[in-house]
Amino acid sequence: MVDATRFPYEGLGRCEAVVSDGIVYAVATDPQGSDGILAQTQNALDELNRILEKAGSGRAGLLQATVYLSDVKQKPEMDTVWIDWIGPEENWPQRACIGVDLDEGCLVEIVVTAKVI
């Protein structure tokens, strides 16, 4: 059995975060299902802040991020919100953006790995 702290999610079959050996694995989407990539990105990042803090981390602990976009052509718009949120260069994780099919109405999903700080 893996020594891990799991932070349940209201959906079945997954957690919003898992912490193991000082590493946080987390995922966030816009819990409000807002209209538009700008609003959904901001709300997903606000949710990610909440999850990371609950797990003992934050933007300064980010190591890696994968941003899944329902339309990769919206990456420049998503980036405007991301760049404002991520802050100074010492917070910048390794990051990839990938265009994928997401649940209906979901425009962005963000998966991160971070250190407990």
Side-chain angles (χ1 to χ4, degrees), residues 34-38 40 68-71 74 102-103 105-109:
S34 301
D35 288 333
I37 189 66
L38 296 174
Q40 282 203 19
Y68 297 96
L69 297 166
S70 65
D71 181 356
Q74 293 182 317
L102 295 171
D103 287 343
C106 183
L107 303 177
V108 61
E109 183 168 341

Side-chain angles (χ1 to χ4, degrees), residues 66-88:
T66 304
V67 179
Y68 297 96
L69 297 166
S70 65
D71 181 356
V72 79
K73 291 177 186 164
Q74 293 182 317
K75 181 182 177 291
E77 292 173 89
M78 180 279 302
D79 270 337
T80 63
V81 179
W82 172 271
I83 289 166
D84 185 52
W85 176 82
I86 197 62

Side-chain angles (χ1 to χ4, degrees), residues 8-86:
Y9 179 74
E10 67 255 9
L12 295 175
R14 70 182 184 108
C15 293
E16 64 184 9
V18 174
V19 179
S20 181
D21 294 327
I23 302 293
V24 179
Y25 306 88
V27 61
T29 58
D30 175 3
Q32 299 163 20
S34 301
D35 288 333
I37 189 66
L38 296 174
Q40 282 203 19
T41 301
Q42 186 62 61
N43 291 339
L45 291 171
D46 290 346
E47 183 72 355
L48 191 58
N49 270 338
R50 181 191 67 75
I51 294 166
L52 288 171
E53 287 177 11
K54 187 163 83 169
S57 189
R59 283 174 268 198
L62 286 173
L63 301 171
Q64 187 274 334
T66 304
V67 179
Y68 297 96
L69 297 166
S70 65
D71 181 356
V72 79
K73 291 177 186 164
Q74 293 182 317
K75 181 182 177 291
E77 292 173 89
M78 180 279 302
D79 270 337
T80 63
V81 179
W82 172 271
I83 289 166
D84 185 52
W85 176 82
I86 197 62

